[in-house]
Amino acid sequence: MSTEKIVLKVNSLVVETVDKRPKQILKGISFDIKAGETLCLVGESGSGKSVSSLATIGLLPPASLRVIGGQVLLDGEDLLQSTPKRLRALRGSSLAMIFQEPMTALNPVLTIGKQLDEMLACHTKESAAQRRARVLEALEQVHLPDIQRMYASFPHQLSGGQRQRIMIAMALLLKPRLLIADEPTTALDVTTQHQILKLIRELQQKHGTAVLFITHDMGVVVDIADRVCVMKAGEIVEQGSVNQVLSTPKEAYTKRLLAAVPSLMPRPPRPERGPRCVLDVAELEKVFAPTRSLLGWFQRGRTGTKAVDNVSFHLQEGRTLGIVGESGSGKSTLARCVMRLINPTAGVVRISGQDIASLHPRSLKPHRGRIQMIFQDPYRSLNPRLTIGRSLIEGPMNYGKSRQAAMLKAKELLELVGLPSDAIDRFPHQFSGGQRQRIAIARALAMEPDVIVADEAVSALDVSIQAQVLHLLDDIQQRLGVAVLFITHDLRVAAQICDDVLVMQRGQVVEYGPAHQVLGNPQALYTQQLIDVAPGRSWDFAAFAPAS
């Protein structure tokens, strides 16, 4: 642990809602962070982690939340007593934040260089040439390739990992004393996640920055934390060094969080449910044509990008096939081709024996019900203006089922996924993230499909909710025999839910077989590399799992 002076000290911080009957969201929490130290705030969704970070940096939404007590001391200065002008001066120069989703934090109509230049223009008196040199140096520090191209690029032209590196460069541009990172690696694949964590640690050591790191991923905690604070319902229930809290947790709640972390050791093979093949993909290809420019004739001779290259696999009823790989490996493109959300360039996609790869879109309707999808973000995939009931009955009614029969089935499905049937008249915003994902599963099951495609369906959920959703999917498979094509970048999740695993790299299959072989004894170098960089690789979370 660092012996440097304390950079951030939070004393008895209390935050409550702004309404007629205020509810305390933070109940007098206290912690401190020293220079060069990383403190992780962990806990389930709703525990108060993100509210703590927003209160620290002065970004609480004033219409819904307010601070009613406590202190937030940055180098001895109480930020809660600072004027808005003083806070604006401190942000960027003394404290900075990396948000979870860089695409929503970056301005889509400004180039990367312009956005970083704005920070220097606001906080320094340097010339344009000096600012440009500093921005290019910052981009180089975060190990981005071709920094001149990055400087001139717009956010949508970069990958998720590159955008997150831009956010880190922006946060550290003025060498702040405190860096707040709110779930900065949640949606990233294991390789990019490993690079980002290594980068934060490297820059922290170089500049002596104190880091407040908010995460629900215990593997990330192992890799980056010096100390840990465990939060539950607005309170810190346990805190200490990372070894102390993770090795000998005192609170039952902490033990439960650790027990919910999926193990990297694959589960024992399940017996096959039946011989029927419900999804058969053979020699599938998808080529995206080159982007045309104003000087389109320069594009002649270019062959385009082969996002999926000669991929073949099969999936039997009641089984789960995991598709894993880095961002850009072709996982989601493969899923969209299988769903016929985009048209494959070549190959065969048989759903229960029927090839749908080359069918005209108008001929797809009879086959759509056999394959359904669960998206990553259920809040965006559910219509906010429709009640849950209307969302669940829409599909069956489009296929001829009466409203009464569809509504009865919808209530049964809600109970199947662990929600009360009277929830059918509520709207999506009235549910938690885990509950919305259960509703998305119920909606997929409403069509009585043979195959469900789950595209990163649990990546944004905290470990305890994630464990519940994975258990639910397994239970539904046992009851209904539905097959699942599970797209994920989380090897721990793949190890615990998948019967078979297919590893993709640059659109091609590099390894395919039973999960216990591919993840337990990988043969391909690329698979070995993915496992080696999994967060918390050296830690045995299985020790906290309840005895079966």
Side-chain angles (χ1 to χ4, degrees), residues 274-294:
R276 186 166 73 99
C277 181
V278 292
L279 175 61
D280 185 25
V281 174
E283 300 177 352
L284 193 69
E285 290 188 0
K286 176 59 184 179
V287 179
F288 290 104
T291 304
R292 296 187 63 83
S293 66
L294 293 176

Side-chain angles (χ1 to χ4, degrees), residues 58 75 92 117 151 211 227 237 283 285 306 368 416 513 532:
D75 287 327
D117 181 80
Y151 185 95
V211 177
R227 290 190 298 122
V237 297
E283 300 177 352
E285 290 188 0
K306 189 173 282 191
R368 289 283 190 201
L416 178 67
D532 286 342

Side-chain angles (χ1 to χ4, degrees), residues 276 352 367-372 395-396 401 405 409 412-413 441-452 480 482:
R276 186 166 73 99
S352 297
H367 309 288
R368 289 283 190 201
R370 293 182 176 179
I371 182 165
Q372 292 290 295
K401 187 169 282 192
K409 180 68 173 178
E412 292 175 0
L413 287 171
I441 293 171
R443 185 177 61 174
L445 292 172
M447 297 301 296
E448 300 179 358
D450 294 323
V451 181
I452 288 178
L480 306 180
V482 64

Side-chain angles (χ1 to χ4, degrees), residues 48 102 183 212 223 316 340 393 413 416 523 530:
E183 300 277 13
L212 176 60
D223 287 351
Q316 292 176 287
R340 276 301 304 271
I393 68 175
L413 287 171
L416 178 67
Q523 300 302 304
L530 287 181

Side-chain angles (χ1 to χ4, degrees), residues 139 143-150 162 165:
L139 295 180
H143 307 308
L144 283 165
D146 194 356
I147 57 174
Q148 295 287 349
R149 180 176 67 83
M150 292 290 161
Q162 288 173 335
R165 287 168 186 263

Side-chain angles (χ1 to χ4, degrees), residues 402-476:
S402 71
R403 183 182 183 87
Q404 183 179 6
M407 192 62 78
L408 184 64
K409 180 68 173 178
K411 290 180 178 179
E412 292 175 0
L413 287 171
L414 283 178
E415 292 181 350
L416 178 67
V417 298
L419 293 173
S421 60
D422 60 9
I424 206 161
D425 295 321
R426 300 180 203 164
F427 289 87
H429 73 271
Q430 295 176 291
F431 297 88
S432 69
Q435 289 173 326
R436 285 195 291 267
Q437 198 61 291
R438 288 170 180 265
I439 292 164
I441 293 171
R443 185 177 61 174
L445 292 172
M447 297 301 296
E448 300 179 358
D450 294 323
V451 181
I452 288 178
V453 178
D455 190 1
E456 300 284 8
V458 296
S459 65
L461 303 177
D462 61 60
V463 286
S464 54
I465 303 299
Q466 183 184 83
Q468 293 170 16
V469 172
L470 293 177
H471 178 75
L472 173 63
L473 282 173
D474 186 64
D475 184 54
I476 287 171

Side-chain angles (χ1 to χ4, degrees), residues 185-421:
T185 61
T186 295
L188 303 178
D189 62 66
V190 288
T191 306
T192 307
Q193 187 179 64
H194 177 75
Q195 293 169 353
I196 294 297
L197 294 177
K198 182 180 177 183
L199 175 62
I200 291 175
R201 177 65 85 181
E202 174 188 319
L203 294 175
Q204 177 190 29
Q205 291 171 348
K206 183 176 181 179
H207 301 299
T209 310
V211 177
L212 176 60
F213 200 100
I214 291 131
T215 184
H216 63 249
D217 190 330
M218 289 298 184
V220 170
V221 172
V222 171
D223 287 351
I224 200 167
D226 296 304
R227 290 190 298 122
V228 182
C229 287
V230 182
M231 292 194 69
K232 177 186 179 185
E235 297 180 289
I236 294 177
V237 297
E238 187 165 359
Q239 61 179 304
S241 70
V242 64
N243 285 329
Q244 176 187 334
V245 173
L246 299 190
S247 297
T248 56
K250 297 180 177 62
E251 296 293 321
Y253 176 74
T254 309
K255 294 175 183 177
R256 193 164 71 247
L257 286 180
L258 295 172
V261 179
S263 171
L264 267 171
M265 291 299 297
R267 69 179 181 187
R270 295 189 300 175
E272 293 189 6
R273 186 183 180 97
R276 186 166 73 99
C277 181
V278 292
L279 175 61
D280 185 25
V281 174
E283 300 177 352
L284 193 69
E285 290 188 0
K286 176 59 184 179
V287 179
F288 290 104
T291 304
R292 296 187 63 83
S293 66
L294 293 176
L295 302 176
W297 57 277
F298 278 122
Q299 304 287 347
R300 292 176 184 175
R302 290 186 59 184
T303 58
T305 302
K306 189 173 282 191
V308 177
D309 186 3
N310 195 32
V311 172
S312 301
F313 62 85
H314 64 274
L315 180 58
Q316 292 176 287
E317 61 179 325
R319 306 284 284 178
T320 298
L321 170 63
I323 310 290
V324 302
E326 296 172 291
S327 296
S329 62
K331 306 187 302 294
S332 292
T333 301
L334 173 62
R336 293 187 186 106
C337 286
V338 169
M339 289 289 300
R340 276 301 304 271
L341 297 178
I342 57 176
N343 296 325
T345 306
V348 173
V349 179
R350 293 189 183 91
I351 303 293
S352 297
Q354 172 65 51
D355 182 15
I356 66 168
S358 56
L359 288 180
H360 189 277
R362 292 178 182 175
S363 304
L364 283 171
K365 184 176 179 180
H367 309 288
R368 289 283 190 201
R370 293 182 176 179
I371 182 165
Q372 292 290 295
M373 195 161 193
I374 304 169
F375 295 93
Q376 179 174 354
D377 186 347
Y379 195 73
R380 290 200 296 177
S381 65
L382 293 169
N383 190 327
R385 297 184 177 184
L386 298 184
T387 63
I388 296 308
R390 287 185 62 189
S391 290
L392 292 179
I393 68 175
E394 185 178 22
M397 286 182 65
N398 285 341
Y399 279 77
K401 187 169 282 192
S402 71
R403 183 182 183 87
Q404 183 179 6
M407 192 62 78
L408 184 64
K409 180 68 173 178
K411 290 180 178 179
E412 292 175 0
L413 287 171
L414 283 178
E415 292 181 350
L416 178 67
V417 298
L419 293 173
S421 60

Side-chain angles (χ1 to χ4, degrees), residues 47-115:
S47 62
K49 306 187 302 296
S50 291
V51 173
S52 303
S53 68
L54 294 174
T56 299
I57 203 169
L59 292 178
L60 285 178
S64 55
L65 293 173
R66 64 188 172 199
V67 177
I68 62 168
Q71 293 178 308
V72 176
L73 303 173
L74 180 66
D75 287 327
E77 180 179 355
D78 191 352
L79 301 181
L80 299 180
Q81 303 302 320
S82 300
T83 64
K85 182 179 179 180
R86 176 59 178 160
L87 278 176
R88 284 195 298 272
L90 288 171
R91 291 185 195 127
S93 60
S94 294
L95 69 157
M97 189 162 185
I98 305 170
F99 295 93
Q100 180 173 351
E101 179 44 68
M103 197 58 183
T104 58
L106 293 170
N107 191 326
V109 299
L110 295 181
T111 62
I112 297 304
K114 177 63 176 174
Q115 294 185 58

